[in-house]
Amino acid sequence: EIQMTQSPSTLSASVGDRVTITCRASQSISSWLAWYQQKPGKAPKVLIYKASSLQSGVPSRFSGSGSGTEFTLTISSLQPDDFATYYCQQYDSFLFTFGQGTKLEIK
Amino acid sequence: QLQLQESGPGLVKPSETLSLTCTVSGGSISSRSYYWGWIRQPPGKGLEWIGSIYYSGSTYYNPSLKSRVTISVDTSKSQFSLKLSSVTAADTAVYYCASQEYSFAILDYWGQGTPVTVSS
């Protein structure tokens, strides 16, 4: 079973900052990695799929990169609406696994 | 655009079976492009994928829950269902249903989530 490890668990930043969240897989998952944003009391929303493809309707300040076991989500210039919890999700052999989440807080 | 809605009891007693249903609208549950999945989130914690089903009935389960989980589909009602047996307090969570897009392996449309508490 593939494990996903996100870092950091919490990230404090300011509006306008560039931030990066990392996700590491316990074994290679090629590019089968997605990123989600979740706000309190709401269902998650997919931001990035196949490691680097931007989901329709998602602002271009969000970007993803990586392959194999190391992946990153970057927000180029934080907006007030971006303060939320972010999860990575891998897919392997019809099974999904999420990372433990990164809470992005206002500094 | 797909819409999903969970329904079921909000309170389940320990050792009993949790049963939830997800109704799909705005698209066909028999679409070849989608699996249909269940995900849960304990209070204050992260997301856990429970399992998924294809319209044909093929199922895939989280290995850690596999012995207690059954997911079924009723295409005539555009519904799929979750049963989780022998529940304990650790199964208390918000349960989400979602569409699991086949080509890109993402959960792209989600229900609003339904809270389930396991307590006597």
Side-chain angles (χ1 to χ4, degrees):
Chain A
E1 186 179 347
I2 297 176
Q3 306 298 320
M4 305 301 292
T5 303
Q6 273 182 249
S7 60
S9 296
T10 306
L11 180 57
S12 296
S14 302
V15 172
D17 284 354
R18 178 184 179 90
V19 299
T20 298
I21 299 169
T22 298
C23 188
R24 180 177 292 111
S26 59
Q27 64 189 73
S28 177
I29 57 171
S30 184
S31 296
W32 293 108
L33 192 285
W35 290 96
Y36 296 81
Q37 177 193 68
Q38 186 181 33
K39 295 182 178 179
K42 300 294 187 182
K45 167 189 170 184
V46 60
L47 302 173
I48 301 288
Y49 63 94
K50 290 295 296 289
S52 61
S53 295
L54 193 67
Q55 178 73 341
S56 176
V58 174
S60 59
R61 62 181 180 273
F62 291 92
S63 64
S65 65
S67 66
T69 61
E70 294 275 340
F71 302 88
T72 59
L73 172 70
T74 299
I75 309 173
S76 61
S77 178
L78 273 174
Q79 299 302 301
D81 191 50
D82 299 338
F83 292 95
T85 301
Y86 293 85
Y87 295 92
C88 62
Q89 166 248 300
Q90 71 83 27
Y91 171 79
D92 176 68
S93 301
F94 294 96
L95 305 182
F96 285 55
T97 310
F98 290 95
Q100 78 275 22
T102 295
K103 186 175 183 179
L104 181 53
E105 299 179 329
I106 301 174
K107 185 183 286 185
Chain B
Q1 155 168 330
L2 285 171
Q3 293 184 311
L4 296 92
Q5 177 68 57
E6 306 90 350
S7 59
L11 180 64
V12 182
K13 290 182 168 55
S15 79
E16 295 190 345
T17 296
L18 178 160
S19 296
L20 296 174
T21 296
C22 183
T23 301
V24 178
S25 59
S28 173
I29 199 169
S30 299
S31 168
R32 293 175 185 246
S33 298
Y34 283 99
Y35 279 72
W36 306 97
W38 288 98
I39 303 94
R40 71 180 183 178
Q41 185 169 37
K45 296 189 178 180
L47 301 165
E48 181 178 35
W49 179 79
I50 300 170
S52 63
I53 190 164
Y54 199 47
Y55 75 95
S56 62
S58 298
T59 52
Y60 299 92
Y61 298 135
N62 185 325
S64 67
L65 297 169
K66 187 173 184 177
S67 63
R68 299 194 293 129
V69 173
T70 302
I71 298 177
S72 59
V73 64
D74 185 337
T75 55
S76 68
K77 295 182 178 179
S78 288
Q79 294 178 334
F80 62 105
S81 299
L82 169 70
K83 291 189 185 298
L84 182 65
S85 63
S86 305
V87 297
T88 69
D91 296 308
T92 293
V94 174
Y95 285 76
Y96 295 99
C97 61
S99 58
Q100 195 168 295
E101 201 282 336
Y102 182 81
S103 297
F104 303 124
I106 56 173
L107 300 152
D108 54 354
Y109 294 96
W110 295 63
Q112 64 186 21
T114 187
V116 177
T117 300
V118 178
S119 175
S120 56

